[in-house]
Amino acid sequence: MKALVQLGQNLISLLLMVGLIVLGFLFFQSSQGKRESAQVVWGVNENGNPTIKAHNLTIHAEQQLSNSPGGKTGLRISGNYVVWDETLNQPGKSSGIRIYDLAPRREIAIDSPAFVQRYADISTDGVVVWNDSRNATGVKSPTDIYGYDLRTGMEFPVAVGPGIHFLPRIDGNWIIYLDWLPNQVLRSD
């Protein structure tokens, strides 16, 4: 597995040098643990429309995951899921979270009215975490972290309260994030 990660990092470095930005690799695992197919997932701007695509390296087939209007950033992949932040072109909304489930080939939206949702991540078992501004009261207000379990359809708070909770990442049952508490001074002595 370590060699596979190193190979992926070397490939990404090579592609960045030639000007193609590949945002990640996704490997499907069967119940027997054998690799069934490998996916390369990336964002591209086609004729002024941000699009997310995947290419199956096993069967050499390309698939468009999303071409809805609005900017797409923060592309992350895990298991059968691809997640990204999408700038919404709707009155009263600025951004939301989009998920594409590669198994049934469907796009899922996680939107909260009028809240800024960014920096999403997803686990292989379908739990999404993100920064959320629903409790913000101004520019320097705290940012909270919420989660959503695709299996149960339930949203849950991860880090809510004083301070700035930022950049959540999830792996299995673990969620990590940066936490900047009120009146905390960051320094390097």
Side-chain angles (χ1 to χ4, degrees), residues 71-122:
K72 295 163 180 53
T73 59
L75 181 64
R76 309 271 306 170
I77 58 176
S78 186
N80 289 335
Y81 301 105
V82 180
V83 66
W84 66 91
D85 312 330
E86 186 161 303
T87 305
L88 304 173
N89 296 327
Q90 301 169 4
K93 293 252 338 141
S94 59
S95 66
I97 304 300
R98 296 289 185 271
I99 303 156
Y100 193 88
D101 189 341
L102 291 160
R105 295 185 175 197
R106 68 183 173 117
E107 188 174 334
I108 304 160
I110 297 180
D111 291 332
S112 297
F115 306 136
V116 175
Q117 298 170 311
R118 298 201 47 187
Y119 308 112
D121 195 21
I122 192 163

Side-chain angles (χ1 to χ4, degrees), residues 25-38:
F25 289 94
L26 175 61
F27 295 97
F28 291 112
Q29 300 292 326
S30 70
S31 59
Q32 292 80 28
K34 296 179 183 175
R35 185 169 55 124
E36 291 180 345
S37 65

Side-chain angles (χ1 to χ4, degrees), residues 59-188:
I59 62 171
H60 306 290
E62 190 171 292
Q63 173 185 355
Q64 182 171 296
L65 305 185
S66 179
N67 70 343
S68 58
K72 295 163 180 53
T73 59
L75 181 64
R76 309 271 306 170
I77 58 176
S78 186
N80 289 335
Y81 301 105
V82 180
V83 66
W84 66 91
D85 312 330
E86 186 161 303
T87 305
L88 304 173
N89 296 327
Q90 301 169 4
K93 293 252 338 141
S94 59
S95 66
I97 304 300
R98 296 289 185 271
I99 303 156
Y100 193 88
D101 189 341
L102 291 160
R105 295 185 175 197
R106 68 183 173 117
E107 188 174 334
I108 304 160
I110 297 180
D111 291 332
S112 297
F115 306 136
V116 175
Q117 298 170 311
R118 298 201 47 187
Y119 308 112
D121 195 21
I122 192 163
S123 67
T124 56
D125 54 354
V127 177
V128 185
V129 292
W130 69 89
N131 279 103
D132 195 296
S133 71
R134 71 183 70 185
N135 298 317
T137 57
V139 175
K140 296 195 179 231
S141 292
T143 302
D144 296 327
I145 298 173
Y146 283 84
Y148 185 87
D149 189 329
L150 293 171
R151 295 167 300 179
T152 65
M154 300 293 292
E155 183 179 284
F156 57 91
V158 174
V160 177
I164 298 172
H165 319 292
F166 195 61
L167 290 174
R169 294 294 174 251
I170 185 167
D171 187 15
N173 293 329
W174 289 88
I175 300 171
I176 62 169
Y177 55 91
L178 299 175
D179 198 6
W180 189 354
L181 298 174
N183 304 318
Q184 184 179 14
V185 177
L186 299 177
R187 62 179 202 216
S188 59

Side-chain angles (χ1 to χ4, degrees), residues 8-18:
Q9 290 172 342
N10 291 343
L11 182 58
I12 289 170
S13 296
L14 175 66
L15 292 170
L16 286 172
M17 286 189 295
V18 296

Side-chain angles (χ1 to χ4, degrees), residues 27-60:
F27 295 97
F28 291 112
Q29 300 292 326
S30 70
S31 59
Q32 292 80 28
K34 296 179 183 175
R35 185 169 55 124
E36 291 180 345
S37 65
Q39 299 273 347
V40 178
V41 180
W42 71 96
V44 64
N45 193 336
E46 292 184 336
N47 301 319
N49 190 27
T51 303
I52 294 179
K53 293 189 172 192
H55 183 84
N56 185 310
L57 298 172
T58 305
I59 62 171
H60 306 290

